Amino acid sequence: MKSDQRKNSWVASLRSQARQLSQIAMLVCVGALRARRPKGELLRQLYQVGNRSLLFVLVTLGFTGMVLVFQSCLQLSRVTGDLSQVGGEFIKYLVHEFGPSLTAMMLATRVGAGIAAEIGSMVVTEQVDALRMCGVEPVEYLLVPRFLATLMMTLLLAVFGVLSAVMMGAFTAHQTFHVPYSVFLDLSKVRLTDVLTGCVKALSYGAAIPIVSGFCGLSTHGGSEGVGWATTRAVVSSSFAVIVLDFLISALALLSWQSM
Amino acid sequence: MTRALLALGMVVLSICREVGGMALLGFYTFVNLIQGRLDGKELVRNLYKMGVVSVPIVSLTALFTGGTMVIQSGIFVQRFQAYGLLGWGTGYAVLREVGPILIGLMFSGRVGANNAADLGSMVVTEQVDGLRALAIEPIPYLIVPRVLAMMLSMFCLLVLGDAVAIGGGMLFGKLLLGVDYASFYASFVDSIKLWDVTVGLLKGTFFALMIALTSCHYGLSVKGGAVGVGQSVNDAVVAAALLIMVSDDIWTMVLR
Amino acid sequence: MKKLHLDPSKPPVFDGISLRIAQGETCGLCGPGASGKSLLLKIICGLIRPEAGTVAVAGQDLGAASPSELRSIQSQIGYLFQNNALFDSMTVQENVAFPLRQRVRLGQEALDEPQILDRVSESLRGVGLATHAAKMPSQLSGGQRKRVALARAVVTRPPLLIYDEPTAGLDPVTTAKIYDLLRAEQKLTKSTTLIVSSDIDALRRFADRMLMVYRGTLCYDGPSADMDDSASPVVRQFVRGELEGPL
């Protein structure tokens, strides 16, 4: 009986959270389409999301590129010994899978946590209420610039991430396994569908991260502990959103190619 | 020019400060651990808070990771009709690289960030000073149990996560690619060695140490109210993600 | 005629409070800690919706208002938050100008940029901080921040002013200064004023009418001067600050 009640209240809270999340998503999308917004704010957010994450993304993706190339060369040299295909396949995978997804995982920690921390501390210091009292819709004012900035920057940073991973991968292959750069940097395997899948992924992650973490930030309550909690929730939820979206889009892409 | 140099110097100095702080914290933790100075009750409480509570998120992450890995190798497998390699490809990728990294990142988000927030609000509300006033040493009481609990729970979560990811791989391999369970399993068992599992688990536990040190360090160095707590949680997860990626590279090069 | 009627019954905090505030009144709201004073203020201006009952400001029902109508009602209320709630990414001047700019954007007021800046500096002069316009809120002391928040609350000359703990944590001199400013503002604009404070003596000197909430009900509603002789023992004990009693 008691567990039944607990289950019911759990379902109810899940439902109300889903409703709030979809409300915020709607408001953000409507707000993004409207032209009326302060220009400086968008630029500031583009800088915050883009420039300040660039080094982080370059370093992490670079190291991932090294690891992936190292592992695949190691395995292939044990099985066939023919390393001429590694570069092409690696770049193809990077474009449609690892590039956008790992960049987004990194942005989920860097940008998602940042958005939640910033908005969360505005909630606990009553700044969000103050915005409302000035006749401003906080979702539109705070989230729309962050949404647009993350949407654009995820795509751009994914491009930079792929470049960094390819360069570090080529370097690793050259240094450790003596694969010439000209053989490694083989773009012929990359088809248009790969590029499209990668772009769709990057854009969906870029839309999901700010909405999910903005929702976590706006539902902050309690003092400094509440901000910490909201930040934690934002990192977990937006990383998880990235993983689930990755799976869904990959499955869709696989199924639609099969039918083509 | 001078300004650029100055900025570069500031960045290098601040990196040194953070890394040094973490190393020092790790050293103190190690010393206290050898001397057996840790609070048992705190350890059990943290094991529950960090381990048991993270089971759902880690299982879900692992399930989807296994699925994604199958899809990624699926393209390759279908092109060459090499259905017998699916178990090997998925297993190797999950156990050695993707499993520890993704579960590590989720663990960093769930547990590391939470830990930094927890310690941070203790600092902000002067609870850490309160402990000192009660003559309770903060490191054996607060830090050692947390570091130990994170490493232990990461190890266990990784075992669980690996199992779920492989299971998820089998499931989605059947659903999406039509590879039946038996051939997936056969290819997995034939080609995966105990060494692969061990490397993955070692790596993951080391990631947990990195997560623990970053989150404790940033948590303890919080300054200034709610804004400070949010900021240091953010810094902690970013530093943990960087350290995971960089140390993964080193581990891969060292343990072939 | 601007009237405010509210009847929130939000268990467990409030249980059937009914209250009407006429235009131009100065009301003080007091009560023991955690009795829901701030909550009541937030219900009045529609930041929190009551579970049952209606709140009306200037004859408009907040519960029935659409989000954009609600925002336009709220922009006519000057609210001084307990923690000041200054936007910490903006300078003092931008903070004070923000509500004015929003009103211009919503088409409620037609001001051009120089006029806005005039109003801002006039408002900052009023609180004695004209020289601090370019500073960030983090560079100010607690009392200065409170005064900036006050300038921001009154800059739009709102018909309803709500002050949540305007003097909490300030020294006696600054407290006196803040109350002086509030009095000057009230004299100038004749706006309806609602103040929450735990400093009950200063509050009674300022407000014509006192309200007291205790255990979810309104246990006192009447002239400030009669509070000492209230029939309720709770009110008498609270006003006199005695240790013995029902509280």
Side-chain angles (χ1 to χ4, degrees), chain B residues 193-230:
Chain B
K193 293 181 285 289
L194 187 63
W195 179 237
D196 297 326
V197 185
T198 320
V199 169
L201 291 177
L202 271 178
K203 256 190 202 176
T205 315
F206 184 77
F207 294 164
L209 177 65
M210 296 289 106
I211 295 167
L213 289 183
T214 47
S215 65
C216 288
H217 170 72
Y218 280 101
L220 285 180
S221 47
V222 166
K223 275 188 200 75
V227 184
V229 173

Side-chain angles (χ1 to χ4, degrees), chain A residues 70-246:
Chain A
F70 186 82
Q71 285 282 16
S72 16
C73 285
L74 197 66
Q75 292 304 309
L76 265 183
S77 63
R78 276 180 195 164
V79 182
T80 60
D82 174 24
L83 296 180
S84 61
Q85 301 289 307
V86 171
E89 289 294 337
F90 171 67
I91 294 173
K92 179 185 162 78
Y93 273 83
L94 213 52
V95 167
H96 77 79
E97 164 62 25
F98 287 115
S101 304
L102 277 175
T103 308
M105 283 297 280
M106 294 299 116
L107 289 183
T109 53
R110 166 85 186 71
V111 176
I115 290 177
E118 211 174 348
I119 294 184
S121 37
M122 286 187 79
V123 170
V124 297
T125 55
E126 294 178 312
Q127 288 179 54
V128 171
D129 280 342
L131 280 177
R132 288 204 182 95
M133 293 312 293
C134 295
V136 178
E137 178 53 58
V139 173
E140 199 181 313
Y141 183 81
L142 294 173
L143 268 186
V144 169
R146 288 172 174 77
F147 171 78
L148 289 172
T150 318
L151 193 65
M152 288 184 227
M153 280 305 169
T154 311
L155 192 59
L156 271 178
L157 287 171
V159 173
F160 279 106
V162 167
L163 281 180
S164 158
V166 167
M167 267 157 35
M168 293 301 273
F171 176 73
T172 313
H174 182 78
Q175 290 296 318
T176 337
F177 297 93
H178 310 292
V179 181
Y181 287 117
S182 56
V183 175
F184 189 90
L185 298 172
D186 170 19
L187 293 177
S188 62
K189 292 253 166 44
V190 182
R191 285 176 304 170
L192 185 63
T193 43
D194 294 326
V195 180
L196 273 180
T197 317
C199 289
V200 169
K201 277 184 182 173
L203 287 176
S204 358
Y205 303 148
I209 291 169
I211 289 178
V212 170
S213 28
F215 165 69
C216 294
L218 283 173
S219 50
T220 306
H221 47 80
S224 53
E225 217 169 335
V227 178
W229 259 109
T231 315
T232 307
R233 262 184 65 199
V235 177
V236 174
S237 319
S238 45
S239 313
F240 189 61
V242 169
I243 290 175
V244 173
L245 279 173
D246 183 19

Side-chain angles (χ1 to χ4, degrees), chain B residues 106-168:
Chain B
M106 287 312 263
F107 190 79
S108 156
R110 174 73 187 71
V111 176
N114 198 359
N115 183 42
D118 200 27
L119 285 177
S121 21
M122 286 182 85
V123 171
V124 170
T125 53
E126 297 173 336
Q127 289 180 54
V128 176
D129 293 336
L131 282 180
R132 284 208 187 91
L134 291 170
I136 298 174
E137 279 286 315
I139 289 195
Y141 182 77
L142 285 179
I143 306 302
V144 180
R146 280 162 205 258
V147 174
L148 207 59
M150 276 196 221
M151 290 173 74
L152 284 174
S153 39
M154 179 68 174
F155 186 85
C156 302
L157 287 170
L158 208 54
V159 172
L160 173 80
D162 282 347
V164 173
I166 302 298

